[in-house]
């Protein structure tokens, strides 16, 4: 593959050397977990007492993250998602967003949040190149929301979702389908996608709860079956590189997505790289680590040396999430807050 030339308004012309894995997948999407801390305790993500937190000096500093983002854009990354833990519990996250908004090569900055702390942030987001604001909400019922998240924040989350929609931000709702807990609300969530210009995404539960894996999960196929029972006229429209299978119909303002995070049916087109709060590079959600970027930064390596290490990690990328899982030995007691989702 020839390096592509990116025309820039800056004086110099930048040579981009894209990241292509051994299976021909171009890696141009980076998900950065900016903290492992969170103000909620979602049952499927972490235990009631929380997870053992990393000390501040083992978490990447914002300057380090900005440098890494610039390095990744030199390698063809165009889209970034900030996640966590909860990104907005980290002090300075809005300033960080504004700072990385200046990186020209980044085409879109996306965010995944539980929306508890975003009331004051939303107006600022309108001025940034935000692609989508993904808000996690697993129940439309106040008491059940409190049962799932172990916190009583439904009202503020619901108000912030409505505010974000009114501000015309591109809103996607993330709902983890929990067998016997919230699966009776699938239809109610679908109605939101009918009435509002948002994407409602049902996520298969994955074994990253910080504890033993759940025995009974609803698969993406089962979730799609439930959706189609209620809305038989839905038509599937696939987008390239989308992890979600997407459905809509003419009288819907929005879309419905189903994400097979556990069945892993989308690996063949996966373009995602991840950086954990403590600076581990992951080339797959199911790998342990493909390299420690924080230690490379702190050892004083140059950008070129770090680029080389990233390329090596991508060259060693597994074909799919099952292969990644086979290569690792201790994955399932991790919390999604340590990985970034
Ligand atoms: N705190 C933010 C939030 O909840 O949106 C961002 C971090 S959270 C780890 C990112 C996404 O991962 C959320 O949509 C959450 O629902 C999802 N998630 C967490 N644990 C999961 C699990 N065990 N299986 C599937 N999705 C999970
Ligand atoms: Fe926190 Fe998000 Fe995990 Fe819920 S899913 S505990 S909000 S990190």
């Amino acid at each position: 593959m020839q390096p592509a030339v990116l025309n820039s308004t800056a004086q110099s012309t930048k040579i981009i050397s894209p990241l292509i894995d051994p299976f021909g997948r171009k890696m141009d999407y980076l998900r950065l977990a900016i903290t492992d801390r969170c103000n909620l305790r979602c049952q499927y993500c972490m235990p009631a007492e929380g997870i053992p937190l990393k000390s501040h000096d083992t978490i990447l500093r914002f300057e380090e993250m900005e440098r890494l983002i610039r390095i990744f854009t030199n390698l063809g990354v165009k889209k970034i998602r900030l996640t966590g833990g909860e990104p907005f519990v980290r002090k300075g996250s809005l300033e960080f967003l504004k700072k990385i908004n200046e990186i020209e090569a980044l085409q879109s900055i996306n965010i995944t949040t539980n929306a508890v702390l975003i009331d004051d942030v939303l107006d600022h987001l309108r001025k940034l190149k935000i692609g989508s604001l993904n808000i996690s909400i697993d129940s439309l019922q106040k008491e059940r929301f409190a049962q799932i998240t172990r916190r009583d924040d439904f009202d503020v989350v619901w108000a912030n979702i409505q505010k974000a929609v009114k501000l015309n931000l591109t809103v996607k709702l993330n709902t983890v389908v929990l067998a016997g807990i919230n699966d009776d609300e699938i239809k109610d969530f679908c109605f939101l996608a009918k009435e509002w210009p948002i994407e409602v995404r049902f996520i298969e539960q994955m074994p990253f709860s910080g504890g033993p894996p759940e025995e009974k999960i609803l698969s993406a196929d089962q979730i799609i079956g439930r959706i189609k029972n209620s809305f038989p006229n839905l038509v599937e429209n696939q987008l390239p590189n989308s992890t979600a299978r997407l459905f809509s119909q003419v009288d819907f303002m929005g879309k419905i997505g189903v994400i097979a995070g556990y069945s892993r049916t989308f690996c063949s087109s996966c373009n995602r790289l991840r950086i954990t709060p403590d600076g581990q590079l992951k080339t797959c959600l199911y790998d342990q680590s493909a390299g420690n970027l924080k230690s490379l930064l702190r050892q004083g390596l140059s950008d070129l040396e770090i680029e080389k290490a990233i390329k090596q990690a991508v060259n060693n990328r597994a074909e799919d999430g099952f292969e990644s899982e086979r290569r690792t030995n201790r994955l399932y007691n991790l919390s999604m807050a340590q990985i970034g989702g």
Side-chain angles (χ1 to χ4, degrees):
M1 167 82 50
Q2 291 294 314
V5 176
L6 179 80
N7 284 327
S8 129
T9 47
Q11 286 105 337
S12 63
T13 309
K14 191 148 238 170
I15 303 294
I16 300 284
S17 164
L19 292 168
I20 315 269
D21 78 6
F23 307 93
R25 293 169 293 197
K26 190 169 171 185
M27 315 289 293
D28 55 7
Y29 176 19
L30 176 67
R31 300 172 65 104
L32 180 61
I34 68 170
T35 179
D36 57 351
R37 281 148 169 82
C38 189
N39 45 352
L40 301 187
R41 290 286 178 276
C42 304
Q43 288 178 20
Y44 52 81
C45 181
M46 56 168 93
E49 67 278 14
I51 48 170
L53 296 174
K54 307 263 178 199
S55 63
H56 286 294
D57 60 332
T58 57
I59 298 292
L60 287 174
R61 296 188 285 270
F62 281 129
E63 304 86 312
E64 291 172 322
M65 289 190 253
E66 185 188 341
R67 182 167 166 215
L68 285 176
I69 294 170
R70 290 185 187 276
I71 291 172
F72 275 94
T73 58
N74 286 341
L75 295 168
V77 165
K78 299 191 190 78
K79 172 177 169 183
I80 185 168
R81 176 169 299 279
L82 300 193
T83 175
E86 171 49 37
F88 292 105
V89 299
R90 182 155 179 182
K91 223 171 131 208
S93 51
L94 180 59
E95 290 68 31
F96 176 62
L97 268 166
K98 290 179 181 169
K99 189 93 182 112
I100 61 172
N101 194 62
E102 292 164 12
I103 301 178
E104 259 183 63
L106 267 190
Q107 288 173 0
S108 76
I109 302 171
N110 303 267
I111 304 170
T112 302
T113 172
N114 61 33
V116 175
L117 300 171
I118 62 171
D119 186 10
D120 295 337
V121 172
L122 285 169
D123 280 316
H124 296 276
L125 296 187
R126 286 173 67 198
K127 297 168 207 141
L128 307 178
K129 48 186 172 192
I130 301 299
S132 75
L133 179 67
N134 291 17
I135 299 180
S136 303
I137 178 165
D138 306 305
S139 177
L140 300 172
Q141 302 170 19
K142 189 174 160 65
E143 280 176 21
R144 188 179 280 174
F145 178 98
Q147 180 204 345
I148 296 172
T149 62
R150 304 188 178 105
R151 298 289 185 272
D152 187 17
D153 285 317
F154 177 82
D155 292 338
V156 66
V157 170
W158 187 242
N160 284 337
I161 290 172
Q162 295 185 67
K163 183 171 174 183
V165 173
K166 280 198 192 116
L167 287 172
N168 283 327
L169 289 162
T170 302
V171 175
K172 300 184 183 181
L173 299 188
N174 283 1
T175 301
V176 179
V177 181
L178 305 164
I181 297 179
N182 67 357
D183 53 330
D184 58 338
E185 291 188 61
I186 289 177
K187 190 173 173 183
D188 299 339
F189 274 104
C190 290
F191 269 113
L192 284 182
K194 183 170 190 283
E195 311 285 333
W196 292 5
I198 59 171
E199 191 176 309
V200 173
R201 299 140 52 91
F202 297 104
I203 306 177
E204 248 180 12
Q205 187 174 4
M206 291 175 257
F208 299 118
S209 64
E214 236 1 274
E215 278 172 18
K216 192 165 172 266
I217 69 151
L218 272 178
S219 70
D221 284 343
Q222 287 171 313
I223 298 168
I224 291 169
R226 298 272 193 100
I227 295 168
K228 287 208 164 160
N229 272 343
S230 304
F231 299 93
N233 297 327
L234 281 171
V235 177
E236 183 162 1
N237 312 291
Q238 207 47 46
L239 291 179
N241 296 123
S242 173
T243 47
R245 285 181 63 185
L246 292 173
F247 302 86
S248 192
Q249 63 185 51
V250 278
D251 59 340
F252 266 53
M253 290 186 75
K255 289 193 182 83
I256 295 170
V258 180
I259 303 178
Y262 189 48
S263 311
R264 289 161 257 185
T265 45
F266 48 73
C267 297
S268 62
S269 62
C270 177
N271 61 347
R272 291 157 180 72
L273 291 161
R274 290 178 166 80
I275 300 178
T276 64
D278 58 344
Q280 301 291 337
L281 173 66
K282 286 166 74 71
T283 58
C284 171
L285 185 56
Y286 286 83
D287 72 25
Q288 193 97 37
S289 167
N292 186 338
L293 297 177
K294 183 192 69 197
S295 74
L296 301 185
L297 289 169
R298 294 188 187 173
Q299 280 164 33
L301 266 64
S302 69
D303 286 3
L304 273 178
E305 287 167 318
I306 295 175
E307 281 183 23
K308 204 170 148 205
I310 294 168
K311 282 183 180 164
Q312 262 168 12
V314 168
N315 279 338
N316 194 29
R317 192 178 188 220
E319 184 166 11
D320 58 29
F322 296 101
E323 171 61 18
S324 294
E325 192 182 335
R326 276 192 292 276
R327 289 186 192 178
T328 185
N329 53 8
R330 199 185 53 84
L331 195 61
Y332 283 173
N333 53 359
L334 282 180
S335 155
M336 195 66 104
Q338 295 165 314
I339 304 173

